[in-house]
Amino acid sequence: SSSSQCGRCCNSRASLIMRRADVGDLLRDARPNIKGDKQCMLAAVSKRGFALQHADETMKSDKQVLLAAVKQHGLALQHADETMKSDKQVVLTAVEQNGSALRYAAGPLQQDEEIILAAKKAFLQELSSTHFSDVLDLVRLWRFMRNLRIGCCRVVMTAGRIRYRSDSFTSGYMA
């Protein structure tokens, strides 16, 4: 039948996408019918969240596609339809993966305490595994902590290690 043939075609495209390392490049140059195919986009964004930027506009407002994208890379939220940036579940998933995704959330959700707490937690997990190489990294760190209202009082870098002190979190060394 025609519909089962279409299903096989879509499944084979999705399989091809999952096998490719260059998912973003593949979708950038893809035909519109592939960019609008839900199975193909789910396969792509599950592998590389930023592939969302090449999706058809309808896929950028599909909650299932969005959740898969931001779960893989929280910053993919920047490519979501504006209405989805107001969806608490989507935003929470994004900031849990990458605290910096908070900046792409709709205004009211940027003030939501549950979302702010999730962003802080993700940020501090990332901080603990980051090697800071220069003063510019420290400036970015300070700005981000200020934006999350972490209230960092002092950050010192010695040989790539960070010692921070804040009113929200205890002092510690981060490598």
Side-chain angles (χ1 to χ4, degrees):
S1 88
S2 159
S3 71
S4 67
Q5 186 176 12
C6 179
R8 281 195 304 272
C9 175
C10 292
N11 287 336
S12 66
R13 281 190 216 139
S15 289
L16 172 66
I17 288 170
M18 289 305 289
R19 289 193 306 266
R20 295 284 300 260
D22 58 342
V23 170
D25 294 337
L26 181 66
L27 283 177
R28 182 186 60 231
D29 302 326
R31 288 176 288 173
N33 65 320
I34 292 175
K35 293 179 180 187
D37 182 275
K38 187 170 181 172
Q39 285 182 306
C40 289
M41 288 311 304
L42 279 170
V45 301
S46 295
K47 186 169 184 169
R48 185 169 183 267
F50 270 107
L52 184 66
Q53 68 185 312
H54 302 298
D56 181 82
E57 293 305 312
T58 58
M59 293 294 103
K60 293 179 180 184
S61 61
D62 184 286
K63 189 169 182 172
Q64 188 180 5
V65 171
L66 256 288
L67 285 170
V70 299
K71 184 176 181 180
Q72 197 284 321
H73 200 302
L75 294 179
L77 183 62
Q78 68 187 294
H79 300 294
D81 181 79
E82 291 303 312
T83 59
M84 296 309 292
K85 293 177 182 181
S86 296
D87 184 290
K88 187 171 181 173
Q89 183 184 8
V90 169
V91 172
L92 189 57
T93 302
V95 300
E96 286 173 345
Q97 197 286 322
N98 186 319
S100 296
L102 182 64
R103 70 177 169 245
Y104 300 113
L109 289 181
Q110 290 183 6
Q111 306 302 316
D112 182 281
E113 289 303 317
E114 182 182 6
I115 289 175
I116 290 171
L117 185 61
K120 286 180 182 180
K121 183 178 176 184
F123 171 71
L124 289 174
Q125 287 173 342
E126 182 183 334
L127 179 64
S128 68
S129 63
T130 301
H131 180 79
F132 294 87
S133 58
D134 58 27
V135 173
L136 186 56
D137 284 343
L138 288 175
V139 170
R140 288 186 192 121
L141 166 67
W142 177 80
R143 285 183 183 152
F144 189 76
M145 291 178 85
R146 183 188 63 195
N147 290 343
L148 284 181
R149 292 182 268 155
I150 290 176
C152 185
C153 303
R154 185 174 140 162
V155 177
V156 179
M157 182 174 79
T158 309
R161 292 178 64 85
I162 297 293
R163 180 165 172 80
Y164 68 94
R165 194 181 108 154
S166 87
D167 55 7
S168 300
F169 298 95
T170 58
S171 299
Y173 279 102
M174 297 294 177

